[in-house]
């Protein structure tokens, strides 16, 4: 069944609106975009879907930090940064209601000071925030210090939501006479993706900001304009089309994604980026399980970290590959330069139907089916809990596809590498490329934002992605991979987002652990079948979208319903 066309439309606004006086600012009227909706493919880069950032939330931490950085860079680009004497930041909707618990204000302040999610030194954030609040000043881009009273200039609009998206924020810059110099609105749409008027290109929801500098944004914008016509080798817009591409080209899902990635990156860059993503995932697991057993998570709930104690219990006689109790068995893979196999005259890659060489067949050859045993499923839960506890502490994690769901995919992949894998490097690449394809389908067909569709859009999507990836590395057919992805979401439909005290802790941490176990179960069901099933992945994605639209707002990351109102904080 064809999916009804859907597109995220923003009110058209200039990238940054500049004013010479308060009178001019008062006369400004926003224009409304009336662009016609168009149908486009789902393909984005794997490295846009999986990005390295900080916890506890991709939509409430990573996205707002990027938005703040973009706004400050725009002030520099327009040469008005030195005119600014103070800033006002307005948070709307879910960002206001759960912002404190999600670290949104802290992330914004770091972005204003010029930091980015993948490079900020997480250990210094809290001390820098205390300094900003105590001294009532902030340093724009780390160079221009201005007056900033946190209690006065960070505004939480608890009962207001901007029409474009539940996760809205507005920046206003003022000069020494309190005249507005510039303003803009941004929307954090999940997974660290940020949009505003500059992103309203002809590629619909696939357009976003994950680059903060003007030069990089222009390059990205130009690339996105070309995506539909030239950039993608093997385009697909839904799961049905993806399966047709795989059958037509006799390729796996990972190979299709790899061929598309070659339009953006070299084979060595793809390998290095994938391994860096996995190494960051593995490091977040290590940090989580090696933390103090007495440590507690930040926030009013005072939740004790459980992963360290659980991991130590599992090590007692259950993990022969670890030399001694208390150590961590790393699964990181060194990205050695020039290690991608070179073509030889005797092994010229096959070609796709459009004439391009199938380099993916050489890098990611099809595999034989493997037998699956369940000797240590407890590790799945420990790994997932470890990542999400690290995320709750503001540590470094990978959006997979969001921070709130950051533990599910690393847990399943770690489990596979530790207990089943015979070729970890190739398996990491195939797993991540396969999961990214499924994530692309959800991002285009529904949403990966809990503020839009509830937790089914985060943990539900992560479970579906992980089930598909696990099925692929176990040697499943493309039909079985699609089936596993469908099962993973079908039994997460309607999952609400109701974080207690607005913290990404309860029920988020345990929910990732259960999603990891459910992903393995979904993969088992798919692998034991022939790929035939009554409900298709496209149908379940559309059902998930409709369910999200029908879901009451109090169950969409607002902490106004569910467990958030029935579990006492004190």
């Amino acid at each position: 069944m064809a999916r009804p066309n859907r597109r995220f439309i923003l009110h058209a606004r200039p990238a940054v609106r500049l004013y010479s006086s308060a009178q001019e600012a008062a006369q400004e009227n926003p224009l409304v975009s009336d662009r016609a909706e168009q149908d486009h493919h789902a393909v984005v880069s794997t490295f846009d879907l999986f990005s390295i950032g900080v916890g506890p939330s991709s939509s409430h931490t990573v996205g707002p930090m990027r938005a703040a950085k973009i706004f400050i860079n725009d002030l520099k680009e327009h040469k008005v940064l030195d005119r600014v004497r103070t800033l006002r930041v307005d948070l709307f909707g879910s960002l206001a209601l759960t912002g404190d618990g999600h670290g949104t204000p802290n992330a914004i302040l770091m972005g204003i000071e010029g930091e980015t999610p993948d490079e900020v030194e997480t250990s210094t954030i809290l001390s820098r925030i205390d300094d900003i609040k105590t001294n009532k000043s902030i340093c724009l881009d780390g160079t221009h210090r201005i007056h900033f009273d946190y209690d006065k200039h960070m505004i939480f609009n608890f009962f207001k939501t901007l029409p474009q998206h539940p996760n809205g924020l507005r920046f206003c810059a003022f000069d020494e006479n309190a005249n507005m110099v510039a303003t803009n609105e941004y929307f954090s749409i999940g997974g660290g993706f940020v949009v505003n008027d500059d992103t309203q290109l002809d590629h619909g929801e696939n357009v976003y900001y994950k680059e903060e500098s003007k030069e990089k944004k222009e390059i990205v914008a130009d690339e996105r304009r070309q995506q539909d016509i030239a950039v993608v080798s093997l385009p697909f817009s839904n799961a049905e089309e993806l399966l047709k591409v795989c059958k037509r080209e006799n390729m796996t899902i990972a190979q299709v994604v790899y061929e598309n990635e070659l339009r953006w990156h070299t084979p060595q860059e793809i390998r290095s980026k994938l391994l860096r993503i996995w190494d960051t995932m593995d490091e977040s697991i290590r940090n989580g399980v090696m933390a103090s057993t007495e440590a507690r998570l930040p926030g009013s709930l005072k939740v004790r970290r459980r992963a360290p104690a659980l991991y130590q219990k599992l090590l007692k006689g259950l993990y022969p590959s670890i030399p001694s109790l208390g150590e961590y068995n790393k699964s990181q893979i060194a990205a050695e330069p020039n290690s991608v196999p070179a073509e030889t005259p005797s092994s010229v890659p096959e070609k796709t139907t459009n004439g391009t060489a199938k380099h993916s067949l050489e890098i990611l050859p099809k595999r034989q089916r493997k037998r699956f045993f369940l000797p240590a499923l407890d590790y799945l839960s420990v790994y997932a809990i470890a990542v999400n506890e690290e995320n709750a502490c503001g540590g470094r994690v990978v959006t997979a596809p969001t921070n709130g769901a950051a533990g599910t995919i690393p847990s399943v992949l770690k489990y596979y590498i530790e207990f089943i894998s015979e070729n970890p490097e190739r398996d990491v690449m195939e797993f991540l490329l396969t999961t990214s394809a499924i994530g692309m389908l959800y991002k285009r067909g529904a949403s990966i934002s809990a503020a839009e569709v509830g937790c089914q859009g985060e943990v539900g999507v992560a479970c579906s992605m992980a089930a598909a990836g696990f099925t692929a590395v176990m040697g499943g057919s493309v039909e079985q991979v699609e089936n596993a992805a469908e099962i993973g979401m079908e039994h997460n439909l309607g999952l609400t987002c109701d974080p207690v005290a607005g913290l990404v802790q309860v029920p988020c941490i345990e929910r990732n652990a259960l999603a990891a176990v459910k992903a393995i179960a979904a993969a088992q069901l798919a692998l034991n079948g022939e790929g035939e099933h009554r409900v298709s992945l496209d149908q379940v994605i559309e059902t998930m979208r409709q369910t999200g639209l029908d879901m009451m707002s109090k169950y969409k990351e607002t902490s106004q319903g569910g467990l958030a109102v029935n579990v006492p904080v004190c």
Side-chain angles (χ1 to χ4, degrees):
M1 182 183 294
R3 182 188 64 81
N5 187 39
R6 173 179 178 268
R7 183 176 172 205
F8 186 90
I9 301 295
L10 296 179
H11 290 184
R13 299 175 184 270
V16 173
R17 299 188 295 285
L18 304 175
Y19 305 107
S20 59
S21 67
Q23 181 179 6
E24 184 181 347
Q27 293 173 348
E28 185 268 340
N29 289 309
L31 301 177
V32 179
S33 173
D34 58 355
R35 291 181 178 160
E37 293 189 0
Q38 301 180 25
D39 196 26
H40 300 286
H41 65 71
V43 179
V44 296
S45 174
T46 297
F47 310 112
D48 290 327
L49 198 66
F50 290 119
S51 63
I52 298 171
V54 294
S57 172
S58 50
S59 61
H60 287 55
T61 312
V62 176
M65 186 183 295
R66 285 197 173 110
K69 172 71 171 174
I70 292 168
F71 182 70
I72 297 303
N73 282 349
D74 282 342
L75 294 179
K76 292 168 57 182
E77 176 69 20
H78 290 282
K79 303 186 186 306
V80 296
L81 185 70
D82 291 340
R83 289 176 53 196
V84 178
R85 291 296 177 267
T86 190
L87 283 175
R88 169 175 165 144
V89 183
D90 283 82
L91 307 180
F92 297 90
S94 179
L95 291 183
L97 290 165
T98 62
D100 266 337
H102 286 60
T104 305
N106 294 357
I108 291 172
L109 296 181
M110 290 297 97
I112 290 173
E113 290 207 330
E115 299 289 359
T116 58
D118 57 330
E119 295 182 355
V120 63
E121 179 52 58
T122 58
S123 62
T124 67
I125 292 178
L126 293 181
S127 61
R128 291 171 64 181
I129 297 300
D130 289 339
D131 182 70
I132 291 170
K133 292 180 178 179
T134 301
N135 297 319
K136 295 187 178 181
S137 68
I138 193 168
C139 200
L140 304 187
D141 199 40
T143 61
H144 179 54
R145 186 164 293 280
I146 65 170
H147 174 68
F148 185 85
D149 186 336
Y150 179 86
D151 295 328
K152 179 181 178 181
H153 297 139
M154 184 70 71
I155 310 301
F156 294 80
N157 297 282
F158 298 110
F159 305 106
K160 293 181 182 179
T161 301
L162 298 178
Q164 296 92 330
H165 192 276
N167 291 337
L169 64 159
R170 179 189 298 141
F171 295 92
C172 298
F174 301 91
D175 64 18
E176 59 186 3
N177 297 317
N179 294 323
M180 185 180 291
V181 175
T183 185
N184 203 0
E185 293 172 355
Y186 299 88
F187 304 90
S188 183
I189 62 173
F193 294 88
V194 178
V195 298
N196 73 350
D197 181 61
D198 273 4
T199 65
Q200 290 189 70
L201 308 177
D202 288 336
H203 196 69
E205 286 197 34
N206 287 356
V207 186
Y208 47 82
Y209 287 153
K210 280 200 170 181
E211 300 289 354
E212 295 82 14
S213 71
K214 184 69 174 179
E215 294 77 10
K216 289 182 179 179
K217 284 192 295 182
E218 290 174 350
I219 294 172
V220 169
D222 182 64
E223 288 179 347
R224 300 308 177 197
R225 288 189 183 98
Q226 299 301 319
Q227 271 196 354
D228 285 335
I229 56 175
V231 172
V232 176
S233 300
L234 301 170
F236 55 88
S237 61
N238 54 40
E240 181 181 2
E241 292 182 9
L242 176 58
L243 292 182
K244 287 181 179 178
V245 170
C246 291
K247 293 176 183 177
R248 184 186 72 226
E249 305 292 343
N250 191 27
M251 299 169 74
T252 66
I253 291 175
Q255 289 168 348
V256 169
V257 177
Y258 188 93
E259 292 294 333
N260 287 334
E261 285 296 334
L262 287 173
R263 294 292 182 164
W264 289 291
H265 308 286
T266 66
Q268 183 57 43
E269 287 173 339
I270 294 172
R271 177 181 177 276
S272 297
K273 286 174 176 287
L274 287 172
L275 295 184
R276 183 181 178 224
I277 287 171
W278 166 239
D279 288 349
T280 303
M281 289 179 171
D282 191 53
E283 185 69 13
S284 65
I285 296 175
R286 188 195 74 82
N287 291 338
V289 299
M290 299 305 291
S292 169
T293 56
E294 301 300 319
R296 294 184 181 272
L297 302 179
S300 57
L301 298 181
K302 305 298 180 185
V303 175
R304 184 188 298 274
R305 279 187 180 246
R306 288 187 294 171
L310 291 172
Y311 190 65
Q312 289 184 15
K313 289 180 180 179
L314 289 175
L315 291 182
K316 295 178 180 178
L318 297 179
Y319 209 138
S321 61
I322 290 188
S324 62
L325 185 64
E327 296 186 14
Y328 176 74
N329 191 30
K330 286 189 175 183
S331 298
Q332 297 181 359
I333 303 168
E336 298 294 337
N338 303 320
S339 60
V340 175
E343 288 184 27
T344 62
S346 61
S347 62
V348 178
E350 296 182 33
K351 295 183 178 296
T352 63
T353 54
N354 62 11
T356 59
K358 293 182 180 178
H359 294 280
S360 57
L361 300 184
E362 182 182 4
I363 303 301
L364 301 166
K366 293 184 179 180
R367 61 180 70 220
Q368 298 295 318
R369 282 286 300 273
K370 296 181 180 180
R371 298 185 64 188
F372 177 47
F373 301 95
L374 300 174
L377 276 180
D378 286 341
Y379 280 93
L380 281 169
S381 297
V382 173
Y383 295 152
I385 289 172
V387 174
N388 282 90
E389 287 181 344
E390 190 64 17
N391 177 66
C393 292
R396 185 89 57 205
V397 296
V398 175
T399 58
T402 66
N403 283 30
T408 301
I409 289 174
S411 170
V412 174
L413 181 51
K414 175 76 170 179
Y415 175 81
Y416 178 83
I417 290 174
E418 289 289 286
F419 294 98
I420 304 173
S421 177
E422 297 171 354
N423 188 332
E425 179 179 320
R426 193 185 75 187
D427 291 340
V428 164
M429 294 176 64
E430 178 152 3
F431 188 98
L432 292 178
L433 290 172
T434 303
T435 57
S436 71
I438 304 303
M440 294 173 201
L441 298 178
Y442 282 102
K443 186 176 182 300
R444 180 191 184 276
S447 174
I448 57 173
S449 169
E452 277 194 293
V453 295
C455 197
Q456 59 176 356
E458 297 202 19
V459 170
V461 171
C463 177
S464 179
M465 293 168 66
F470 189 82
T471 304
V473 294
M474 289 296 292
S477 65
V478 292
E479 292 85 2
Q480 289 171 324
V481 171
E482 186 260 359
N483 187 13
E486 182 278 320
I487 295 171
M489 173 53 73
E490 182 179 343
H491 304 288
N492 278 298
L493 288 172
L495 193 62
T496 61
C497 182
D498 49 356
V500 178
L503 299 167
V504 192
Q505 298 176 13
V506 179
C508 318
I509 296 173
E510 284 184 356
R511 191 168 283 177
N512 274 260
L514 271 294
V517 175
K518 190 181 292 186
I520 297 295
Q524 280 185 280
L525 286 173
L527 288 167
N528 288 329
E530 298 300 326
E532 295 183 7
H533 49 288
R534 185 65 182 84
V535 181
S536 72
L537 178 57
D538 288 329
Q539 290 169 340
V540 84
I541 291 176
E542 174 59 16
T543 302
M544 172 242 194
R545 184 187 72 84
Q546 294 178 7
T547 302
L549 291 175
D550 293 338
M551 190 180 292
M552 297 177 67
S553 62
K554 67 180 182 179
Y555 297 118
K556 297 180 184 180
E557 205 168 7
T558 61
S559 291
Q560 293 180 322
L563 287 174
V565 299
N566 288 297
V567 176
V569 176
C570 56

